[in-house]
Amino acid sequence: GENVEQHPSTLSVQEGDSAVIKCTYSDSASNYFPWYKQELGKGPQLIIDIRSNVGEKKDQRIAVTLNKTAKHFSLHITETQPEDSAVYFCAASRDTGGFKTIFGAGTRLFVKA
Amino acid sequence: NAGVMQNPRHLVRRRGQEARLRCSPMKGHSHVYWYRQLPEEGLKFMVYLQKENIIDESGMPKERFSAEFPKEGPSILRIQQVVRGDSAAYFCASSFGLAGGTGELFFGEGSRLTVL
């Protein structure tokens, strides 16, 4: 079945450094790749997404890259701040009828002040 | 415009009892998804519903679990004869149309089930 692998499971960085989280997916028909941030005790919230017709997308300090040939995509956070500490999930889906979104196992990011 | 509303936020049940979790999607959303999250783990897809229809229930356990999304009222995830392994956070998400096709999933705050 469909699967999304995410690495690392835990990431600790100093404030101001960059953080990179990588994901691979198995369903070659996937064409929509969102990233969600989950803070303690809350539901996940979308922070950025990318579609398969685009290789890179940037929004202020966060950027995503997609390599459809290799079936992997990455999240890059620059100039990390303590409030970036959270669990980050990558996901993959299709924009055809009635398809579920499959999530990676999550990366717990700690930003040390 | 209220977000996705889930209740109860916390539920404690004894083994063998039933748990009912409710989810009201965002206004205008007709697609509902249920995910289960075990402690320190990711989000596992359970079921995807539209009004009065189950679209994909490939992630639902074959026994004891059921879900519905009636024409009127919230979506309900029902767990019969709960066991300790059912203890988890259950998240509901909604979307306007097709996930991926029209954009993001909007998640509720989750319902945390504890089975004693």
Side-chain angles (χ1 to χ4, degrees):
Chain A
E2 308 90 359
N3 190 44
V4 175
E5 301 271 345
Q6 182 171 350
H7 301 279
S9 57
T10 306
L11 180 58
S12 184
V13 300
Q14 284 293 137
E15 183 179 1
D17 287 350
S18 294
V20 180
I21 302 170
K22 298 183 178 182
C23 291
T24 59
Y25 60 98
S26 61
D27 182 6
S28 55
S30 294
N31 56 8
Y32 174 63
F33 307 92
W35 287 85
Y36 287 80
K37 177 183 181 182
Q38 185 180 28
E39 296 179 340
L40 195 62
K42 301 276 182 89
Q45 280 196 301
L46 181 78
I47 54 170
I48 195 167
D49 56 16
I50 190 167
R51 296 181 191 274
S52 60
N53 56 347
V54 175
E56 185 173 352
K57 182 176 178 181
K58 191 172 180 181
D59 182 3
Q60 299 182 353
R61 295 186 298 108
I62 58 174
V64 289
T65 59
L66 170 65
N67 182 329
K68 273 222 90 175
T69 304
K71 290 194 280 189
H72 65 70
F73 55 117
S74 301
L75 176 72
H76 303 250
I77 307 174
T78 58
E79 300 170 28
T80 53
Q81 300 167 2
E83 50 266 37
D84 294 331
S85 296
V87 179
Y88 291 81
F89 292 99
C90 61
S93 184
R94 304 181 205 171
D95 60 1
T96 53
F99 199 77
K100 58 194 180 260
T101 300
I102 302 298
F103 286 81
T107 296
R108 190 171 295 274
L109 175 64
F110 297 96
V111 180
K112 295 176 284 187
Chain B
N1 183 17
V4 176
M5 303 300 290
Q6 288 189 249
N7 70 82
R9 291 292 312 278
H10 300 274
L11 182 64
V12 179
R13 285 287 178 266
R14 296 192 180 280
R15 281 179 295 170
Q17 292 184 319
E18 179 180 287
R20 281 192 183 221
L21 310 178
R22 295 173 195 78
C23 171
S24 295
M26 282 185 71
K27 188 176 180 180
H29 286 189
S30 59
H31 296 239
V32 165
Y33 312 76
W34 285 94
Y35 286 83
R36 176 161 64 176
Q37 186 175 37
L38 294 169
E40 306 297 316
E41 291 192 13
L43 296 156
K44 298 294 186 188
F45 170 79
M46 298 182 75
V47 62
Y48 163 30
L49 311 102
Q50 295 177 25
K51 288 279 188 182
E52 300 184 280
N53 282 310
I54 296 175
I55 306 303
D56 185 337
E57 56 180 348
S58 57
M60 288 278 271
K62 293 289 183 278
E63 297 177 350
R64 304 188 297 109
F65 284 72
S66 62
E68 63 176 8
F69 188 17
K71 188 177 179 182
E72 301 290 338
S75 175
I76 295 175
L77 179 67
R78 182 182 178 205
I79 311 172
Q80 296 178 289
Q81 299 171 354
V82 296
V83 301
R84 289 220 173 103
D86 297 333
S87 296
Y90 292 84
F91 286 96
C92 170
S94 72
S95 68
F96 176 72
L98 303 172
T102 53
E104 68 188 280
L105 298 180
F106 292 82
F107 279 87
E109 299 273 90
S111 290
R112 281 152 185 83
L113 172 66
T114 300
V115 179
L116 301 178

